[in-house]
Amino acid sequence: MSGSPAASVNPFRSSIGISRRRASAGSGPKEYEFAREVYDKPDDFNPQTDPIVRVEASRLRLRLAEYYAGPGRDDDLVLELPKGSYSLIYRSALN
């Protein structure tokens, strides 16, 4: 998908599939889990003092919005990362 939000890969975007698998198992990952698994943060990681996961989630949400407002406006499938969540939602653009 050239020009898509996934075109430039960073650890957050390349690992978001982790959240999809967990979401289907009943619970999406928490910010702390993402920080530990994706960014190799230590056990004493404090998301209140290091916002890396929230920052990257915000960046991805912005990229998704830009993509679907532009080159992806005619896509049949829409990916969303709801605010406060680290689990992608896949939906039909027809809904």
Side-chain angles (χ1 to χ4, degrees):
M1 265 181 4
S2 179
S4 74
S8 63
V9 177
N10 73 20
F12 186 86
R13 285 185 226 135
S14 63
S15 299
I16 198 75
I18 295 168
S19 66
R20 182 64 180 164
R21 286 191 300 277
R22 286 198 181 140
S24 64
S27 69
K30 304 296 182 216
E31 182 177 1
Y32 175 83
E33 293 169 334
F34 236 108
R36 295 269 299 129
E37 292 180 25
V38 177
Y39 297 104
D40 295 322
K41 296 293 182 177
D43 289 340
D44 64 351
F45 169 76
N46 182 346
Q48 298 302 314
T49 59
D50 185 347
I52 186 67
V53 176
R54 290 188 309 274
V55 168
E56 290 301 327
S58 292
R59 288 179 180 160
L60 180 56
R61 287 182 190 104
L62 177 62
R63 300 259 337 242
L64 287 167
E66 289 171 348
Y67 176 75
Y68 290 114
R73 77 175 56 86
D74 295 326
D75 286 3
D76 293 334
L77 181 67
V78 175
L79 304 178
E80 296 176 342
L81 185 62
K83 193 166 186 171
S85 171
Y86 302 107
S87 296
L88 282 174
I89 294 175
Y90 302 82
R91 68 173 178 83
S92 169
L94 303 175
N95 293 339

